[in-house]
Amino acid sequence: MSPPTSMASATSRESGAGPEHGAAASAAPDAAAPSTALALVSLVPELRTMAGAVTATVVIAALYFGRDILMPLALAFLLGFVLDPLVMRLKRLGLPRAPAVMLVVLLALGTMGMAGLLLGSQVSTLSAELPTYQNNIKTKLSELRARASGPGMFDGVIKTFDTFKKEVEDAPQAPAPARAGARGATGNTAPAPAQAVQLVEKTPSSFQQGISLLEMASAPLATAGIVLVFVVLILLDRLDLRDRLVRLWGGSLHRSTDAMDEAGQRISKYLTMQLVVNFSYGVPMALGLWFIGVPGAMLWGAVAAVMRFVPYVGPMISAVFPIALAFAVDPGWSMVLWTIGLIIALEMLSNNVIEPWLYGASTGLSAMSLMVAATFWTALWGPLGLIMSTPLTVCLMVIGRHLPRLRFLDVLLGSQPALDAPTRIYQRLIADDVEEAIELATDQVVDHNVLGFYNETGLQVLRMASSDHANVARAEHRHRVVIGIEALIDEMRELHPEPHSASAPAAVVCIGGKWEVDTLAARMLAHALSMQGCVALPHGAGAVNADFITGLDLGGVECVCISYFSPDPQVAARHFCRRLKRRWPGTRVVLGLWNAPPELLGEEAIRNLGADGVVTSVGEAVVAIAALTGTQPAEGFMQAARPEADADRLHALRASGALDPRAKELFDAATQRAADVFDVPMAMVSLIEESTQEVRGAYGELRAPASPDAAPLRGVDLGMPRELSMCGHVVANAQTLVVPDVSRDLRFAGNPALQGKGLRFYAGAPLRGPGGHVLGTLCLLDVEPRALSQSEVRLLEAMAKDLMQALQAAAAQWGEMVPAPVAMGPPSATVGQLLPSA
């Protein structure tokens, strides 16, 4: 071995830089890169929070320092919301937009000027009369002073405190040290006392007073001028401003349009309702003060109406003036007391009756957010910010509702509950507050509808518990939830006991499949079935083996329902069903797959599982078990009732023109539009006559997915007795009815007129005649379950209203009504023909 080589080897061995070490060393930077990336990824939430905080700080600073420009602009936008409907009305009358804007602005300025002159005359009259009330003021003040100086209930305490304070002050004090440089008695004489100097301010001249007043008024006049210019520009270029805001919003055009429409509707409704509320407050105030005898009643009524635009403090400020004037005018105290009583009565009436009735949910803001918003905008923009706080906060809430990154604004400011009922109950159970959870649950049970609570709330709580079981829940949380739900079910059984005796033989046994939440679901289902008249007993979960199956006493039991919350229950459910069928071959088995994927709900999947049915809700389980056992639930199906004034309704139906054959063209066009807009296979117009539902217009057809070769269902096939009609429920209740899944709704699942038609979804809006009577429905139908949002429900109702307006206009042109035609389609079956038990 050559020396250089040996030296190199030694060096290599000493340094540990062999081939393997060198490779590891070279890979070290690459290995550190993923850890750095992971560290950066973990910092993303903190970075986002920091960026949000910085952005919020910048925005608030911009609002504060730019208030001289932003306040007039915001006020101009609000005035534009108020004046734009008048401009649009003038445009509909044929006036071009520019003259319409000028006319509306001049009318607004003229109205404000007239009101100012009228109120100014009232002020001048009051100022001339005030000196005559000086004696009354002096007399009352002297009386108050005399009463205040008289003996009171706390005089003894105050006297004792004063005596103690005097004793402390009179205690001997240590002599003060002599000041340096002080002269004795034989020193120089003391300096002469200082002389008081009084400064006399020079009275300004008339010219200087005028300049001072002009300087004081210059800022408000400049702001008013800027606002006026902005209002005119906003009214002139409203469409262009809207387009620019849509472009700035970016993203989805539908989302930005919805946000602007919602903000405009909420602000316009708020301002309109505020005007109505203020007017309904100011007029009674003026009349009441005039009746009491307070001078300037019209002035104080106007001040009260205007000051109510200022939240919270405005009414208090406006109340000071009439109370003070009543104090000055009346030598006694009756006028003051009557004035205070009037103000209190009007405040109570306005705050508790008129405002909730007119406002409703017009702003969508919570009471707490209104208070915080008023404080925030007042701190930024002063009194003007207080006046504009509600509309500005409405804009922020709408932006948060439609912009995902700012969704927290909707949560913080909106009036909608932050948590739904199941989440609130689940959170209370996690917090070990069982009593409040039970209280929330009992509040959800309306009209003893325990089945509805289990169906909509109870199962959802168990779903959340099942989802969090292996993810975020600790053992303590799981224990709290299980104990709490057991107590909740016990409370429900105590408050709503089963109608049968405890010794009655069970027709159904509900078994938990595997976990504790499965057993809790079985207990809920057993209680719901028993409340429907089907005796059911719960059974806990256990290991599915021969001993467990043998231990099940299923003699005389017609059906077994097994609950599973597992998202993949195929293996366990199939094993359980086979063992049950082998041991109890005559028993029907229903699987409650509360978290089942859609592929397990088909007929082929049910056969593979070995079950007789699969359900996903308590209501569906009640219907399925009733069908398998040949029994009928206590509620069966709900027949449509008849409204009290049905005779008047029938008279309005015959006088409306809806039965005229010429109306069919309107109905067909309306149903085609509704089917296209809502993307449903079928829409129809049905009229509810004395005993039947008559289909007068229809578009599309229904074809059940399970039987594509069967004849499609058309409008002519939906004539039926009134009591079995879903549209009859709309007429009876006079409100829109939406049924997401007919086959799982206890009101309609057992309806013999709907069975076999493949109908799964129904939504019907009432067709109201001129007298408010509901004549029929504009309804949507589908063979697949679906849901409608609140905005879609409102749209369907608006389309129904438009149809009736078009019918009313057409009937006015037709003149005399043509006799009603024969019902569309074959004669409908009677209730007795459809109901075997009838």
Side-chain angles (χ1 to χ4, degrees), residues 447-761:
D447 297 332
H448 300 279
N449 187 12
V450 181
L451 188 149
F453 166 75
Y454 287 148
N455 196 43
E456 299 172 5
T457 305
L459 276 185
Q460 187 61 27
V461 173
L462 293 178
R463 287 191 183 100
M464 289 187 286
S466 174
S467 175
D468 294 343
H469 185 276
N471 297 328
V472 295
R474 302 198 309 267
E476 184 180 5
H477 294 153
R478 302 185 194 115
H479 181 263
R480 291 175 179 177
V481 170
V482 170
I483 297 301
I485 296 181
E486 284 183 344
L488 191 153
I489 297 175
D490 291 339
E491 184 73 15
M492 287 294 171
R493 296 178 72 93
E494 183 178 347
L495 293 176
H496 308 280
E498 294 87 346
H500 55 78
S501 63
S503 60
V508 179
V509 172
C510 302
I511 305 175
K514 186 177 182 181
W515 307 111
E516 192 73 25
V517 289
D518 300 336
T519 302
L520 294 174
R523 289 192 61 191
M524 289 184 181
L525 180 57
H527 187 206
L529 287 169
S530 299
M531 292 293 294
Q532 297 299 314
C534 180
V535 183
L537 293 178
H539 196 287
V544 183
N545 50 37
D547 294 337
F548 180 78
I549 298 296
T550 305
L552 293 174
D553 185 11
L554 301 183
V557 174
E558 300 181 38
C559 183
V560 174
C561 185
I562 310 172
S563 296
Y564 285 101
F565 274 97
S566 172
D568 298 313
Q570 295 92 323
V571 177
R574 188 182 299 112
H575 182 57
F576 208 154
C577 289
R578 286 177 180 175
R579 283 183 172 270
L580 276 177
K581 291 283 188 177
R582 190 180 303 120
R583 177 67 178 81
W584 308 94
T587 303
R588 303 293 186 90
V589 178
V590 174
L591 293 176
L593 305 182
W594 314 120
N595 281 330
E599 54 267 20
L600 292 182
L601 304 180
E603 294 183 2
E604 183 68 23
I606 296 174
R607 284 194 297 268
N608 292 336
L609 292 172
D612 297 289
V614 172
V615 296
T616 59
S617 67
V618 176
E620 186 181 358
V622 172
V623 175
I625 291 173
L628 290 175
T629 58
T631 60
Q632 186 68 33
E635 296 176 355
F637 72 93
M638 184 182 296
Q639 295 191 12
R642 293 174 179 263
E644 295 181 358
D646 195 55
D648 296 336
R649 189 195 67 82
L650 291 172
H651 178 73
L653 172 62
R654 296 184 177 91
S656 65
L659 300 176
D660 194 297
R662 291 171 288 186
K664 186 177 185 304
E665 183 178 354
L666 289 174
F667 295 156
D668 288 341
T671 55
Q672 180 177 0
R673 177 176 298 174
D676 291 340
V677 168
F678 290 94
D679 193 22
V680 294
M682 185 175 180
M684 70 179 189
V685 170
S686 66
L687 301 177
I688 304 300
E689 299 209 50
E690 184 175 3
S691 59
T692 58
Q693 167 184 292
E694 307 294 348
V695 180
R696 296 289 171 167
Y699 177 81
E701 58 186 27
L702 297 178
R703 189 183 296 271
S707 54
D709 298 331
L713 184 68
R714 296 184 174 89
V716 295
D717 304 317
L718 291 174
M720 62 183 64
R722 174 179 178 176
E723 289 79 5
L724 305 182
S725 164
M726 299 180 73
C727 298
H729 289 271
V730 179
V731 172
N733 300 321
Q735 60 184 3
T736 302
L737 173 65
V738 178
V739 183
D741 193 341
V742 175
S743 65
R744 298 180 181 179
D745 195 302
L746 284 179
R747 296 170 295 177
F748 309 109
N751 192 326
L754 302 177
Q755 292 176 345
K757 297 184 182 298
L759 179 64
R760 298 291 297 275
F761 167 76

Side-chain angles (χ1 to χ4, degrees), residues 284-334:
M285 173 70 77
L287 293 176
L289 293 177
W290 172 79
F291 181 78
I292 294 172
V294 178
M298 184 182 298
L299 172 64
W300 306 129
V303 169
V306 172
M307 290 303 295
R308 289 190 71 85
F309 279 107
V310 182
Y312 309 115
V313 299
M316 292 186 291
I317 295 175
S318 63
V320 171
F321 300 104
I323 293 175
L325 194 58
F327 176 83
V329 171
D330 187 15
W333 294 93
S334 59

Side-chain angles (χ1 to χ4, degrees), residues 103-120:
L103 180 59
V104 168
V105 171
L106 290 176
L107 286 175
L109 292 176
T111 303
M112 294 173 61
M114 292 285 292
L117 290 176
L118 181 61
L119 296 180

